[in-house]
Amino acid sequence: MAEPSDITAMRRAVALAARGLGATSPNPVVGCVVTDASGHVVGEGWHQRAGGPHAEIHALRAAGVLARGGTAYVTLEPCNHTGRTGPCAQALIEAGIARVVYAVGDPNPQATGGADTLRAAGVEVLQGLLEDEAEAGNLAWLTSVRRGRPFVRWKYAATLDGRIAAADGTSRWISSADSRADVHRLRAEADAVVVGSGTARADDPHLAVRGIEGAVQPLRVVVDTEGTAVKPGARVLDDTAPTLIALAEDAPSDLDDALLVRLPRADRGLSVPALLDALHTRGVRSVLLEGGPTLAGAFVAAGAVDQVVGYLAPVLLGAGPTALRDAGISTITDALRLDVTETVRIGPDLRITATPKER
C-alpha cells in the first residue's frame, strides 16, 4: 500500500521525467527517485538521451551504496532487455534495492517483464502509483508503442470566432507573442514538425525551434504532394535542422533525393498512414502538426490526431478560412467529440488542450 511519502517521491520522478521531453526518442521519458532504507532521498535521475544511461542508472549512481535496502520510484516499469544499455531491472537487483514502485507498465514487448524479474529476485514491487500523471507525461511514446505510429498533436491558432486568417489571407499575427513562444516549446518536445504545401507557399516557414536552450531540433517535414511548393532556397532547406519533403510517387522534383520520401496518393493528397509509417521507420515517435486546414482535415479524416492544442485569441474577424477543412464529417452524429484536458491563459490568449473521444 502506498504511503504519502511514496506519492511525494513518485511525483518528483514524474517531474524529473519531463526534463527529457524532446531528447530521448525513440525511447520514452523516464524519471527515477531512490530513497535509502530510512526513506531519505539519496539519488535522482532521468533518461536524458537515447543511447545514454536510463533514469534508474543515473539515480543509482547518485545513491551509491545508500541504495542498498532502499526503494526506487520509477515512472515506467524497469526494462528487462539489453539494448544500447543493460537491463535496469538487473541493475536495481545488483544495487540491493529492496522495493520498487513504478507507475506505468511497459507496453513494449521487447522491454517488458522487469517487474517479474524483480519479484523473482525477492524485490517487493508495487505498480500503478500516480499512473495517470505518468501516462500524461509519457503520452507520445506510449501512443507510438500502442498504435505502431507516431503520436500526433495538432496545433493551430485562431480567433475567437474560429478564423485562422482574414478574408484577404493575412494572418500575422492572430495569436500573441506569448503563444508563439509556447509553440516553440511544443516544437522542442516533438520529433517532427509537419506542414503542408499551402503553408509552405504562403509563409516559407522555417519550422526550427528558437528561444529554448539545449533543444534538439525536430525533423522538419513538408507534405508537398505535387512537388511544387518547396523550391531550392526555401528556408526549410537550411542546415538548422534536418528536413524531409513528402511527395507523391509520380511527382517531379528538383531537390536532392536524400531530402525526399515518395508516398502513395490518397483522396486528400498523400496517404496519411503511409506518411506516419515512413516517419515511424525513421525513429519519429511524436509529430507536431502545424499545417493548414486542408492537411489537418486529412489527418482528422484518417483518425490520426491524438491531441488538439488550440490557441484562441480574443479577436473577431467574421470571415476568412477556418482551422479545419474537409475532415470527412458530413453530419453532426459523425462529429469528432473531444475531452478538454487543460485550459491555460497564455498572455492574452487561451490555450485549450483536448483529446478525441473514442468513436
Side-chain angles (χ1 to χ4, degrees):
M1 183 176 177
E3 300 292 335
S5 58
D6 294 328
I7 295 173
T8 299
M10 184 62 79
R11 188 156 284 136
R12 173 61 179 168
V14 171
L16 289 168
R19 297 185 182 184
L21 283 170
T24 65
S25 189
N27 294 347
V29 293
V30 183
C32 179
V33 171
V34 172
T35 61
D36 63 16
S38 300
H40 297 100
V41 174
V42 292
E44 295 184 339
W46 69 93
H47 187 38
Q48 299 175 15
R49 59 178 179 84
H54 290 186
E56 296 95 319
I57 305 306
H58 283 298
L60 289 173
R61 287 175 179 172
V65 296
L66 297 177
R68 186 161 300 278
T71 298
Y73 301 86
V74 196
T75 56
L76 185 69
E77 179 184 2
C79 67
N80 200 43
H81 79 300
T82 300
R84 285 183 280 183
T85 60
C88 291
Q90 189 61 39
L92 291 165
I93 293 167
E94 292 174 359
I97 288 289
R99 180 170 175 257
V100 171
V101 182
Y102 70 91
V104 180
D106 194 332
N108 184 351
Q110 294 180 323
T112 193
D116 292 338
T117 296
L118 290 164
R119 291 190 182 99
V123 178
E124 179 187 352
V125 178
L126 176 65
Q127 175 185 352
L129 182 63
L130 300 188
E131 184 173 11
D132 290 346
E133 291 183 28
E135 281 249 4
N138 217 7
L139 182 60
W141 183 82
L142 289 167
T143 299
S144 73
V145 173
R146 291 165 178 165
R147 300 191 177 182
R149 62 156 176 82
F151 167 85
V152 177
R153 171 184 281 147
W154 170 39
K155 160 264 163 187
Y156 70 93
T159 62
L160 206 55
D161 57 340
R163 308 292 174 172
I164 61 169
D168 65 356
T170 55
S171 61
R172 295 188 177 183
W173 294 102
I174 284 176
S175 60
S176 66
D178 300 280
S179 290
R180 298 195 298 275
D182 194 60
V183 169
H184 283 279
R185 176 188 60 82
L186 297 184
R187 286 183 182 178
E189 292 179 3
D191 297 335
V193 177
V194 179
V195 300
S197 57
T199 299
R201 287 193 191 93
D203 299 337
D204 187 21
H206 193 226
L207 301 181
V209 177
R210 298 190 305 274
I212 298 182
E213 185 177 353
V216 176
Q217 291 291 348
L219 176 67
R220 301 176 292 186
V221 182
V222 180
V223 180
D224 186 9
T225 304
E226 305 300 338
T228 59
V230 181
K231 298 295 185 182
R235 298 175 68 216
V236 77
L237 297 177
D238 71 9
D239 60 2
T240 303
T243 299
L244 186 68
I245 311 299
L247 308 177
E249 293 166 325
D250 57 349
S253 177
D254 297 329
L255 301 177
D256 186 338
D257 285 346
L259 294 170
L260 308 180
V261 59
R262 294 189 175 273
L263 301 173
R265 292 179 181 270
D267 292 340
R268 298 173 175 84
L270 297 180
S271 166
V272 170
L275 172 63
L276 292 176
D277 185 61
L279 294 176
H280 196 263
T281 299
R282 286 166 169 77
V284 171
R285 297 296 179 262
S286 60
V287 164
L288 180 62
L289 179 63
E290 290 197 38
T294 300
L295 188 61
F299 271 73
V300 171
V305 171
D306 302 300
Q307 187 182 76
V308 179
V309 179
Y311 295 85
L312 298 184
V315 177
L316 298 176
L317 284 172
T322 56
L324 188 65
R325 183 184 303 156
D326 192 16
I329 300 169
S330 58
T331 179
I332 193 66
T333 57
D334 292 336
L336 180 58
R337 306 284 177 174
L338 308 175
D339 284 320
V340 174
T341 57
E342 184 185 53
T343 57
V344 179
R345 284 289 298 269
I346 305 289
D349 304 331
L350 181 66
R351 186 187 72 204
I352 299 177
T353 303
T355 56
K357 295 181 178 180
E358 294 296 328
R359 282 179 163 174

